[in-house]
Amino acid sequence: PMVSRVSELVGSMLLRGVAQSGRRGLVARPVRVSARGLAAAAAAGQRILYRSTRGGQSDLTFSEAVLQGLGTDKGLLVPQAIPRFDAATLESWRGLPFHALAAEVMSLYLTDDDLSRSELEALTAASYGAQWRDEAVTPVTTLPGGMRLLELHHGPTFAFKDVALQFLGNLFELLLAKREAAGLSHTLTVAGATSGDTGSSAIHGLRGKRGVEVFMMYPEGRTSPTQELQMISVLDANIHNIALAGTFDDCQNIVKALFNDHAFRDSVGLAAVNSINWARILAQTVYYVHAYHEATSPGAALEGTHVSYSVPTGNFGDILAGWYAKQMGLPVRKLIVATNENDILHRFFQAGDYSQLGVRETLSPSMDIQISSNFERFLFHAGGDDAPALKSLMDGLEDTKRLTPPPSLLAACREEMDSERVDDAEVLATIADVHTASAGEHTLDPHSAIAVAGARRYLQR
């Protein structure tokens, strides 16, 4: 049913043989198709419920929000209140193993009605264990000049999204088991869009999970060869790859269309693993807290020490997690949106111009995006959690490919974040400079180089 529905959406389907053999060394070829052209802080112990940014849903539980993924009104699901921690609590977490820190941070959004403490601790222990190549999970190193680098490449697929997707795969399996025990529907069909790293991370997080079928779409020829192989070489029976002759935005639009076909969505139990899924954002808040601990000295939070983060940004999920961490109480001075030449976010922050242009291929393919889905969550909160106003903006964007923020909204966004644009030439120069200055100790990937270059520019202002 999934492949048939995708075929209807994109107009035509060109099937390329899908290898079914489990013989070692065989690469499974993907299906190939052709595309057409803030809430108040929560009181301690209060159950956090979720609503859509566009106003069509509210009072969803954590389980409902995670399993549903996208709002039924095309909006994204956000917490109706944001829990907070104080400086003393932040300091009390210093030195915890990553899995224990994850349980502490995530527990602020959960009560026993959602997950018990023992269930949460078992989840984080399983998600951040032996599959990570560094026992710190996300270690922090120091670059020449003193800038700190948060390393997010130590997971199974070397992608930062492993942090969230190792957790999400285990969370899906647990929530489905709880639904089965309650006599409810306990199967999911995961539909995802990827520019490379989400797909490989999701597949390695969900492979073999009971009750879960995964259909992953990616733009053919626009992911790295390594990431494509990480996806199509997984032969578990519940994993299905779809290579789309188009861009990441084409893939993402199809996923959104699937979710907005409510009859189809309900019939197959559609679920999301892209960063439109709230659990992805929640898991990523943890490494912002961890990075603060690693970059500061004991007692720093009590002394009011703040840090800034420069984040390579495409779909806006990673930096949004940092923003939520800040709202929870993490001492963050500024979040820097570092973009490549697909600079729709940079144009927004610098000139209020959020107009969609063509996607340009760059050295940082995971950021070759012109539709930043998670930006909607940020706009919702920056606009005072005003769902009707946000819906009007997003309807206009869908109709005209342009979003025109009112001055008050643009000013509110600029209070929280700044931006820098880094082209391919500067990416290469930054990689070379850091490699030389560190005597070969640090070789940045292009995405990390964009964050470093963005931070350097920001500091020079």
Side-chain angles (χ1 to χ4, degrees):
M2 175 64 72
V3 173
S4 280
R5 187 68 183 105
V6 170
S7 176
E8 293 169 17
L9 287 167
V10 301
S12 64
M13 179 185 291
L14 302 174
L15 292 178
R16 201 165 59 184
V18 180
Q20 299 296 329
S21 170
R23 182 160 48 94
R24 181 176 295 182
L26 182 66
V27 174
R29 294 186 181 276
V31 178
R32 180 177 182 238
V33 297
S34 174
R36 289 177 187 164
L38 233 234
Q46 175 185 340
R47 190 178 193 183
I48 305 296
L49 299 176
Y50 296 83
R51 62 182 168 193
S52 169
T53 53
R54 304 192 191 185
Q57 287 184 285
S58 61
D59 296 335
L60 296 175
T61 66
F62 176 78
S63 175
E64 289 169 338
V66 170
L67 294 177
Q68 180 176 309
L70 186 69
T72 55
D73 58 353
K74 300 184 182 180
L76 301 188
L77 301 177
V78 296
Q80 292 177 190
I82 297 176
R84 288 189 59 84
F85 53 78
D86 58 21
T89 300
L90 178 60
E91 285 297 328
S92 74
W93 294 339
R94 190 182 291 272
L96 290 178
F98 191 91
H99 68 86
L101 176 63
E104 294 292 344
V105 174
M106 294 184 196
S107 70
L108 300 180
Y109 284 89
L110 301 168
T111 67
D112 284 345
D113 292 325
D114 301 305
L115 294 175
S116 70
R117 181 67 187 215
S118 62
E119 287 173 330
L120 177 59
E121 290 178 349
L123 276 178
T124 59
S127 303
Y128 307 116
Q131 70 270 48
W132 292 83
R133 290 180 298 278
D134 191 295
E135 65 178 10
V137 180
T138 62
V140 173
T141 58
T142 303
L143 296 177
M147 189 181 298
R148 301 299 184 95
L149 182 70
L150 175 63
E151 294 186 352
L152 300 176
H153 61 265
H154 295 284
T157 73
F158 298 84
F160 84 92
K161 294 173 182 177
D162 286 334
V163 177
L165 286 163
Q166 286 293 302
F167 174 74
L168 185 58
N170 291 322
L171 177 62
F172 274 163
E173 195 168 49
L174 174 60
L175 293 180
L176 290 176
K178 290 166 76 74
R179 288 180 63 84
E180 182 178 16
L184 302 172
S185 172
H186 54 277
T187 59
L188 284 180
T189 302
V190 169
T194 183
S195 52
D197 45 4
T198 292
S200 53
S201 290
I203 286 168
H204 284 262
L206 295 169
R207 62 185 303 180
K209 296 299 182 185
R210 185 168 176 261
V212 181
E213 293 287 328
V214 181
F215 293 82
M216 189 59 59
M217 283 171 276
Y218 65 94
E220 187 170 34
R222 291 176 180 248
T223 67
S224 75
T226 297
Q227 287 173 326
E228 183 175 33
L229 288 170
Q230 285 176 333
M231 291 187 284
I232 66 177
S233 61
V234 175
L235 302 178
D236 294 65
N238 70 322
I239 302 299
H240 317 281
N241 288 290
I242 301 173
L244 203 71
T247 68
F248 169 77
D249 290 338
D250 294 319
C251 299
Q252 186 162 252
N253 286 336
I254 291 170
V255 170
K256 288 182 177 179
L258 290 170
F259 275 90
N260 290 322
D261 183 337
H262 296 168
F264 176 77
R265 170 182 182 162
D266 294 342
S267 70
V268 301
L270 206 57
V273 292
N274 285 68
S275 53
I276 60 175
N277 192 304
W278 166 250
R280 281 272 309 270
I281 306 299
L282 175 59
Q284 289 173 212
T285 63
V286 177
Y287 56 65
Y288 282 91
V289 177
H290 171 75
Y292 180 87
H293 287 149
E294 292 298 306
T296 61
S297 301
L302 296 172
E303 297 167 359
T305 301
H306 285 64
V307 299
S308 294
Y309 296 85
S310 176
V311 186
T313 304
N315 209 28
F316 209 78
D318 193 357
I319 198 164
L320 181 69
W323 182 84
Y324 276 113
K326 179 180 179 181
Q327 303 311 304
M328 293 170 69
L330 190 67
V332 176
R333 177 170 291 108
K334 187 65 76 171
L335 293 162
I336 302 152
V337 178
T339 78
N340 64 13
E341 293 165 50
N342 295 290
D343 61 354
I344 186 170
L345 291 167
H346 178 63
R347 287 186 280 113
F348 174 86
F349 282 100
Q350 300 306 313
D353 174 17
Y354 195 82
S355 55
Q356 295 174 16
L357 307 175
V359 176
R360 181 182 301 181
E361 290 189 55
T362 72
L363 296 173
S364 47
S366 294
M367 296 162 61
D368 289 347
I369 295 171
Q370 283 290 331
I371 303 173
S372 298
S373 290
N374 275 289
F375 195 47
E376 177 170 339
R377 283 181 165 123
F378 179 62
L379 291 175
F380 173 78
H381 291 307
D385 296 6
D386 187 336
L390 189 281
K391 183 179 186 303
S392 177
L393 282 175
M394 299 311 296
D395 287 346
L397 176 64
E398 291 170 6
D399 291 341
T400 67
K401 309 301 181 186
R402 178 184 294 272
L403 183 151
T404 304
S408 59
L409 176 60
L410 182 58
C413 292
R414 287 170 169 169
E415 281 292 314
E416 299 292 336
M417 298 187 187
D418 208 330
S419 69
E420 296 289 351
R421 176 189 187 274
V422 181
D423 62 23
D424 278 353
E426 189 171 0
V427 167
L428 293 174
T430 303
I431 293 172
D433 177 67
V434 170
H435 187 268
T436 299
S438 66
E441 183 179 352
H442 296 288
T443 303
L444 300 175
D445 76 284
H447 307 78
S448 300
I450 288 172
V452 170
R456 286 176 169 178
R457 283 190 179 186
Y458 178 77
L459 292 172
Q460 290 170 357
R461 290 189 193 177

